[in-house]
Amino acid sequence: MYLVLWIYGLAVNKESMANFVPLNSADDWLHLALGVTMVGLAILFSRHRNVKPAGTMR
């Protein structure tokens, strides 16, 4: 969601009526940092699904 807000903040003009979410440049940087951090943490702490069950020979 933060990366979507970041893209929206880059795409919309800050003074236009389309800016219904009050965003500024500092918000854009914050949303980028939070989005990248959350994606990185999700990848880092994701569990591996290739664990073999106990008792298998392969």
Side-chain angles (χ1 to χ4, degrees), residues 15-49:
E15 287 83 28
S16 74
M17 292 299 289
N19 191 8
F20 63 93
V21 180
L23 298 173
N24 58 28
S25 296
D27 290 329
D28 294 341
W29 286 105
L30 176 66
H31 292 141
L32 175 62
L34 288 172
V36 169
T37 301
M38 287 184 180
V39 168
L41 288 173
I43 292 170
L44 182 66
F45 291 117
S46 65
R47 295 182 182 217
H48 297 284
R49 302 285 182 198

Side-chain angles (χ1 to χ4, degrees), residues 46-58:
S46 65
R47 295 182 182 217
H48 297 284
R49 302 285 182 198
N50 297 335
V51 178
K52 296 178 190 172
T56 59
M57 296 300 286
R58 291 183 167 195

